[in-house]
């Protein structure tokens, strides 16, 4: 049966948009947009010596943030006379940035971005950083997710008259910032104008966002939402001629690049860096500071420090706390454990501390193929199952005839856990007990981690016994939420609250109800189907979302058949397949 892809729908929409009302226009746009790119890595670099190209360092920094995004990456630099140079595409940093592409990125300041795999588009045009030429020329990289997209799209169309070209709310956020700057009406702006524009934007948008922006010929800017949900910080490096400045999602970039004095951007704060100095401003009143606790559980590198908390030390503490819960539950169930085995890689630190605390042997039972990406966000259960077997191999000598305690950072869908438990039993494990460093995940993350809908979460509507049955384990032990919070908070007692919404359903920004969940889940389901179709080649007459495969009246496909919307408007993209 013939079905219209969203690419073709998008063409029809723009072809006949003059015939529909503004309200209908926004509704149609919502149906084909509103997909976010979660848990990304952002980076901004300004070198004091403008004759030195910053692109090689940005590329190195993005490789250190690769764990935060493996789907797409991009760099935009600013060279002489405020000209921007761009290279971005789908793929890993090592695949997109070779010597030739880096050499074409001219200028002493720039912005970089890595994007996490999502249920969204494969279109290169949706790789970040984004760019608008008015006013002044702005480049923008964003990590997070907005939750009031519908009203913002209405505002962009009816009031600001700005066109949003992709399905990323990052582009939406950029255009709101640009529109606020444009309202100054000035030929040249100053720091005060920028702070005012960002403050106005923060009052308009709701959600999680850590952003790095660059104004042509001016400087780089970073800001963070009033709750500080997503991380970003800054550092400085002294040189013979002056000071270089760095913004990054994680401190590991600063340490590896020789920067010092790491300082987290505060909630509701904006920082502007030019070659003449640094300006900081609390542009809106900080709300309840609540960094996402899942950064410490899973996403951040262990050698990073986020908001004054060592990720490594927090995972050590998680292992200590979990050990007490494991001891209690095993005793209540009359069970014993012969060996502790981590599920690589994130849970290793916690598993080792747990084993030491319980005086149990710690063994590496799974060998990981490091050339296969993370699996929990992959679309389609069969694809995830196949990838788990490609990703891990169990060593029979460590499992055979033993009661095994598998330690994992968390259990999301349960697909990976089920395959891992089965692998352990296939090589002879007598009993398999799974201990999770995180509590049961029963709610979606709406602030930038593209977790599945509630019905796909294995712990949704289930107790511990049900989860154990679902993943084939003999017993499942979850960290308690108070213990998880304490394991992180004890390293920085000034933080009174964390965003734990995936565990308790308490969304710090408010504005989340059943209608929001229903719309979000419907969009994610549609986009998962679209992405699976893209991967399997079952695209029908036209490709999925976001201006992909089949051209409609010359939709930007070059002679070689590659697709890149940014080659048709705005910046020229130096990356070619």
């Amino acid at each position: 049966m013939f079905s219209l892809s969203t690419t073709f729908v998008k063409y029809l929409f723009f072809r006949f948009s003059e015939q529909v009302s503004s309200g209908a226009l926004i509704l149609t746009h919502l149906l084909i947009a509103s997909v976010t790119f979660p848990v990304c890595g952002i980076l901004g670099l300004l070198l004091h010596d403008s004759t030195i190209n910053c692109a090689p360092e940005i590329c190195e920094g993005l490789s250190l943030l690769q764990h935060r995004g493996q789907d797409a990456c991009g760099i935009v630099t600013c060279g002489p006379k405020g000209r921007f140079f761009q290279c971005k595409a789908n793929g890993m940093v090592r695949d997109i940035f070779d010597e030739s592409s880096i050499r074409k990125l001219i200028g002493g300041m720039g912005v970089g971005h890595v994007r996490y795999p999502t249920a969204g588009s494969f279109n290169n045009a949706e790789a970040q950083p984004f760019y608008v030429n008015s006013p002044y020329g702005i480049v923008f990289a964003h990590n997070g997710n907005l939750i009031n997209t519908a009203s913002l799209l209405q505002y962009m169309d009816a009031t600001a008259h700005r066109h949003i070209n992709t399905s990323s709310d990052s582009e939406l956020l950029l255009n709101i910032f640009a529109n606020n700057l444009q309202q100054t009406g000035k030929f040249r702006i100053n720091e005060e104008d920028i702070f005012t524009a960002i403050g106005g934007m923060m009052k308009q948008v709701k959600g999680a966002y850590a952003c790095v922006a660059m104004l042509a010929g001016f400087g780089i800017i970073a800001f963070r939402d009033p709750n500080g949900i997503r991380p970003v910080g800054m550092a400085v490096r002294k040189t013979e001629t002056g000071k270089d400045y760095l913004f990054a999602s994680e401190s590991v970039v600063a340490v590896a690049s020789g920067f010092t004095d790491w300082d987290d951007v505060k909630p509701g704060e904006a920082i502007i860096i030019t070659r003449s100095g640094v300006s900081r401003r609390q542009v809106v009143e900080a709300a309840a500071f609540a960094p996402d606790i899942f950064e410490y559980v899973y996403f951040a590198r262990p050698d990073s420090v986020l908001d004054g908390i060592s990720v490594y030390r927090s995972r050590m503490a998680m292992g200590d706390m979990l050990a007490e819960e494991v001891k209690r539950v095993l005793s209540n169930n009359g069970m014993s454990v012969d060996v502790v085995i981590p599920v690589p890689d994130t849970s290793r630190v916690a598993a080792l501390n747990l084993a030491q605390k319980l005086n149990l042997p710690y063994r590496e039972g799974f060998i990981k193929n490091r050339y296969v990406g993370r699996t929990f966000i992959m679309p389609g259960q069969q694809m995830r199952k196949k990838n788990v077997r490609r990703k891990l191999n169990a060593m029979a000598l460590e499992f055979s005839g033993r009661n095994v305690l598998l330690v994992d950072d968390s259990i999301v869908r349960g697909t990976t856990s089920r395959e891992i438990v089965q692998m352990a039993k296939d090589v002879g494990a007598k009993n398999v007990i799974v201990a999770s460093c995180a509590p049961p995940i029963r709610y979606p993350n709406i602030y930038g981690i593209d977790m599945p809908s509630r019905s796909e979460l294995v712990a949704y509507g289930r107790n511990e016994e049900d989860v154990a049955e679902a993943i084939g384990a003999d017993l499942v032990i979850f960290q308690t939420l108070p213990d998880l919070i304490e394991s992180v908070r004890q390293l920085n007692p000034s933080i009174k609250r964390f965003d734990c919404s995936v565990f308790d359903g308490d969304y710090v920004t408010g504005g989340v109800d059943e209608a929001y969940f229903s719309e979000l889940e419907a969009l994610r389901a549609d986009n998962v189907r679209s992405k699976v179709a893209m991967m399997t080649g079952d695209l029908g007459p036209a490709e999925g979302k976001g201006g992909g495969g089949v051209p409609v009246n010359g939709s930007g496909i070059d002679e070689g058949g590659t697709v890149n919307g940014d080659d048709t408007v705005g910046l020229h993209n130096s990356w070619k397949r």
Side-chain angles (χ1 to χ4, degrees):
M1 175 187 254
F2 179 83
S3 61
L4 291 177
S5 76
T6 48
T7 303
F8 189 56
V9 170
K10 212 167 191 178
Y11 163 68
L12 292 176
F13 165 62
F14 287 111
R15 177 68 176 82
F16 300 110
S17 62
E18 68 274 9
Q19 300 179 23
V20 297
S21 68
S22 176
L25 181 149
I26 290 299
L27 177 60
T28 310
H29 199 154
L30 276 170
L31 291 173
I32 61 178
S34 302
V35 177
T36 60
F37 299 129
V39 188
C40 304
I42 59 175
L43 192 154
L45 178 63
L46 186 147
L47 303 180
H48 186 268
D49 186 347
S50 61
T51 65
I52 300 175
N53 290 338
C54 65
E57 272 203 86
I58 294 179
C59 184
E60 288 296 319
L62 291 181
S63 70
L64 293 167
L65 295 175
Q66 188 75 86
H67 61 288
R68 299 187 69 85
Q70 302 158 32
D71 187 39
C73 57
I75 296 174
V76 179
T77 60
C78 185
K81 299 181 180 180
R83 182 180 175 186
F84 288 141
F85 300 83
Q86 169 182 276
C87 179
K88 65 177 185 175
N90 291 334
M92 305 278 276
V93 172
R94 63 172 182 249
D95 298 322
I96 303 306
F97 297 106
D98 57 16
E99 183 180 350
S100 174
S101 63
I102 292 176
R103 191 168 54 246
K104 296 174 184 176
L105 297 171
I106 300 167
M109 68 175 177
V111 171
H113 187 272
V114 288
R115 187 180 81 192
Y116 203 88
T118 74
S121 172
F122 272 27
N123 186 5
N124 290 328
E126 297 194 355
Q128 293 188 44
F130 283 116
Y131 159 78
V132 290
N133 64 359
S134 177
Y136 316 115
I138 308 170
V139 170
F140 195 86
H142 164 226
N143 173 26
N145 179 36
L146 305 182
I147 64 172
N148 62 331
T149 306
S151 62
L152 294 173
L153 283 170
Q154 172 69 40
Y155 172 78
M156 284 288 99
D157 176 61
T159 304
H161 309 306
R162 278 183 169 264
H163 172 63
I164 308 302
N165 193 53
T166 72
S167 58
S168 171
D169 61 0
S170 306
E171 188 195 11
L172 177 59
L173 194 59
L174 164 60
N175 275 272
I176 293 169
F177 173 49
N179 183 64
N180 287 356
L181 272 181
Q182 194 147 19
Q183 290 177 18
T184 65
K186 289 185 176 181
F187 176 65
R188 289 287 181 262
I189 56 172
N190 55 32
E191 281 91 343
E192 190 66 32
D193 298 320
I194 296 171
F195 285 135
T196 300
I198 296 173
M201 183 204 67
M202 287 190 180
K203 293 174 183 176
Q204 291 173 276
V205 304
K206 182 177 287 189
Y209 48 91
C211 306
V212 174
M214 176 170 59
L215 266 65
F218 187 89
I220 54 175
I221 306 159
F223 55 89
R224 193 176 183 190
D225 71 78
N227 294 107
I229 299 171
R230 301 258 71 85
V232 65
M234 67 172 289
V236 63
R237 179 177 61 194
K238 295 180 180 179
T239 69
E240 292 180 358
T241 59
K243 293 181 179 180
D244 300 336
Y245 290 95
L246 172 79
F247 291 122
S249 293
E250 296 185 27
S251 64
V252 63
V253 180
V255 174
S257 304
F259 286 78
T260 59
D261 301 322
W262 177 263
D263 188 12
D264 298 282
V265 179
K266 296 178 178 60
E269 183 184 34
I271 302 176
I272 303 170
I273 296 177
T274 66
R275 288 192 172 88
S276 60
V278 178
S279 299
R280 305 182 70 152
R281 178 79 58 85
Q282 191 74 31
V283 293
V284 297
E285 184 178 351
F289 184 25
D292 188 348
I293 204 165
F294 215 69
E295 289 278 356
Y296 303 95
V297 172
Y298 179 76
F299 274 103
R301 278 180 53 139
D303 46 348
S304 284
V305 177
L306 304 181
D307 293 310
I309 297 171
S310 163
V311 176
Y312 182 80
R313 292 291 178 90
S314 72
R315 290 176 185 170
M316 290 177 65
M318 289 175 205
D320 290 339
M321 295 282 191
L322 184 58
E324 296 301 320
E325 184 66 10
V326 167
K327 183 177 180 180
R328 183 188 69 80
V329 175
L330 289 178
S331 176
N332 290 345
N333 286 271
M335 299 180 71
S336 63
V337 167
D338 299 316
V339 63
V340 175
I341 294 177
V343 177
D345 284 318
T346 320
S347 61
R348 278 198 173 104
V349 176
L352 181 57
N353 264 52
L354 182 150
Q356 292 173 342
K357 190 92 171 178
L358 297 180
N359 198 27
L360 289 169
Y362 168 95
R363 295 289 184 271
E364 293 286 346
F366 294 103
I367 301 302
K368 183 177 181 181
N369 179 354
R370 299 186 180 279
Y371 305 98
V372 178
R374 289 177 170 182
T375 59
F376 89 92
I377 205 165
M378 287 191 171
Q381 298 284 35
Q382 291 303 316
M383 189 176 300
R384 281 188 294 274
K385 286 176 64 176
K386 181 178 179 181
N387 224 50
V388 172
R389 294 281 179 164
R390 290 169 55 210
K391 183 178 180 179
L392 296 176
N393 186 52
M395 293 190 291
L397 288 175
E398 302 303 332
F399 291 93
S400 183
R402 293 179 172 178
N403 296 324
V404 178
L405 178 68
L406 296 181
V407 178
D408 207 349
D409 52 75
S410 58
I411 302 174
V412 185
R413 285 184 174 94
T415 309
T416 300
S417 299
R418 183 163 54 248
E419 285 298 304
I420 288 172
V421 169
Q422 189 59 51
M423 288 168 67
K425 291 189 173 183
D426 288 346
V427 294
K430 187 177 2 178
N431 289 300
V432 178
I433 301 161
V434 178
S436 168
C437 294
I441 297 173
R442 294 194 167 103
Y443 303 91
N445 186 298
I446 65 168
Y447 297 130
I449 300 175
D450 196 17
M451 286 184 177
S453 60
R454 290 168 294 180
S455 61
E456 294 179 273
L457 296 169
V458 70
Y460 179 69
R462 292 187 174 102
N463 58 27
E464 284 81 351
E465 291 76 17
D466 296 334
V467 173
E469 182 179 356
I471 67 173
D474 297 282
L475 186 66
V476 169
I477 304 170
F478 287 102
Q479 182 94 271
T480 68
L481 185 54
D483 283 351
L484 175 62
I485 293 172
E486 180 57 25
S487 66
V488 182
R489 184 180 174 273
Q490 67 182 359
L491 300 168
N492 185 357
S494 67
I495 299 179
K496 305 301 181 184
R497 179 180 181 180
F498 292 90
D499 175 64
C500 303
S501 54
V502 295
F503 309 122
D504 60 13
D506 182 10
Y507 295 93
V508 64
T509 62
V512 180
D513 55 19
E514 185 61 33
Y516 179 87
F517 280 136
S518 298
E519 180 183 0
L520 184 67
E521 290 168 0
L523 285 167
R524 283 178 172 170
D526 288 344
N527 290 308
V528 167
R529 286 192 291 270
S530 174
K531 190 165 186 178
V532 171
M534 285 174 155
M535 289 181 168
T536 60
D538 183 21
L539 297 175
E543 194 176 272
K545 178 183 172 307
V550 174
V552 181
N553 286 6
S555 61
I557 296 184
D558 65 20
E559 293 178 359
T562 62
V563 182
N564 195 328
D566 284 346
D567 280 344
T568 61
V569 293
L571 289 176
H572 171 71
N573 195 359
S574 62
W575 183 81
K576 295 294 181 184
R577 291 181 182 174

